[in-house]
Amino acid sequence: MRRFLPWIIGAVVIFVIYSWVKGINNTAVTLNQNVEQSWGDVQTAYQRRNDLIGNLVNTVKGAADFEKGTLTAVIEARSKATAVNVDPANITPEQLAEFNKAQSGVSSALSRLLVTVEAYPELKANQNFLKLQDELASTENQILTARTRFNEAVKPYNNHVKTFPNSLFAGMFGFKEKAYFNAVEGAERPVEVKF
């Protein structure tokens, strides 16, 4: 029995190390899947907004003498925003900043469109326009919620892959830190309201 004792101890140590490393990897995989699902929710919310913008632009186009430049700006911003692709498996701060910048352009153009609409009472009274405007406001809230949930999913993932000794194995398995959504540049300044 004594001559098998070193083999038994060695087998137990190998099994414990294997189980520990397997646990690190499997937890990272699970947390990564949560991040990717949350990113999908963010993209779904932005896609809903882009779909609504198309309907809003078509509704506004029907109004006589409406400013074409404002509509063109909205359409171009929407096009730029849909062209930015982010890989959820490898979200970098640079990719997220580019995505954020493109979506900010959509928000800005959309705000200008809605301000311009104020000068058109017949458009403001249009039921389709009012419904779309309400849906856009609801969608903006969904986007905020999706972005918040994304950040909430990223935090435990980053904690797992950055803490020692997990960080030793996370890099070997290809798990890297993911970026958070941050406020758009200039969001810290108060909004200028003009009447």
Side-chain angles (χ1 to χ4, degrees), residues 10-193:
V12 168
V13 168
I14 289 172
F15 179 74
V16 167
I17 291 172
Y18 166 78
S19 297
W20 177 61
V21 171
K22 180 179 136 195
I24 291 171
N25 181 64
N26 290 349
T27 301
V29 167
T30 301
L31 293 172
N32 188 48
Q33 289 300 307
N34 290 342
V35 169
E36 289 187 18
Q37 184 231 339
S38 294
W39 179 249
D41 294 343
V42 168
Q43 289 182 312
T44 300
Y46 278 117
Q47 182 61 50
R48 175 176 159 75
R49 178 173 74 174
N50 287 335
D51 293 344
L52 287 172
I53 288 171
N55 293 334
L56 184 70
V57 166
N58 288 334
T59 302
V60 172
K61 272 185 187 175
D65 299 328
F66 196 79
E67 294 180 24
K68 299 286 187 222
T70 305
L71 286 176
T72 303
V74 171
I75 293 167
E76 286 175 2
R78 178 181 170 223
S79 176
K80 286 178 187 173
T82 56
V84 176
N85 291 321
V86 176
D87 177 14
N90 189 24
I91 297 174
T92 64
E94 295 79 21
Q95 287 177 325
L96 213 47
E98 183 181 348
F99 182 82
N100 228 1
K101 184 177 176 185
Q103 294 301 334
S104 176
V106 173
S107 297
S108 176
L110 195 54
S111 295
R112 286 192 307 273
L113 174 68
L114 295 176
V115 166
T116 306
V117 163
E118 295 297 317
Y120 295 87
E122 71 282 353
L123 183 58
K124 284 178 22 181
N126 180 318
Q127 290 302 312
N128 288 337
F129 178 78
L130 293 174
K131 183 178 178 212
L132 285 168
Q133 197 173 12
D134 286 344
E135 284 188 41
L136 271 172
S138 169
T139 300
E140 292 299 325
N141 287 333
Q142 288 175 359
I143 289 170
L144 172 64
T145 301
R147 287 174 59 149
T148 301
R149 288 185 180 152
F150 173 79
N151 282 347
E152 289 170 354
V154 167
K155 182 180 178 183
Y157 171 84
N158 282 349
N159 285 341
H160 181 73
V161 300
K162 289 176 66 176
T163 55
F164 182 81
N166 297 358
S167 58
L168 298 174
F169 296 103
M172 286 179 14
F173 295 129
F175 294 105
K176 299 174 193 163
E177 179 182 5
K178 298 200 185 287
Y180 289 98
F181 261 112
N182 292 318
V184 182
E185 190 175 317
E188 70 281 355
R189 291 188 298 266
V191 176
E192 186 178 328
V193 179

